[in-house]
Amino acid sequence: MVLKNESDYEKASERIEEIYGAKPGTPEKKELEELLKAVKAYEDDFVKMLRENDL
């Protein structure tokens, strides 16, 4: 899963809030893990872009 823009990021963040605390072994837990990875990657890319623009 790749978040391509701010809208994707916001939707993913909202969904994380909805399913946070999902029980292990459930489809929601797997979805939560994938969303968290995607959000982290998006945030890391955003920070990297900000640093590059600061130079």
Side-chain angles (χ1 to χ4, degrees):
M1 171 183 296
V2 176
L3 305 179
K4 298 179 183 176
N5 54 46
E6 188 71 19
S7 178
D8 288 351
Y9 175 80
E10 289 175 11
K11 288 176 188 173
S13 296
E14 289 172 9
R15 182 64 179 149
I16 287 170
E17 288 181 28
E18 291 174 6
I19 61 175
Y20 192 79
K23 297 185 190 274
T26 64
E28 289 82 8
K29 182 67 172 184
K30 183 175 180 173
E31 179 186 6
L32 177 61
E33 290 169 353
E34 291 175 13
L35 286 168
L36 289 170
K37 288 177 189 175
V39 164
K40 181 175 182 343
Y42 184 86
E43 290 173 346
D44 290 347
D45 287 347
F46 187 76
V47 169
K48 182 180 176 184
M49 179 201 60
L50 290 176
R51 287 185 181 151
E52 289 172 356
N53 289 334
D54 255 0
L55 297 177

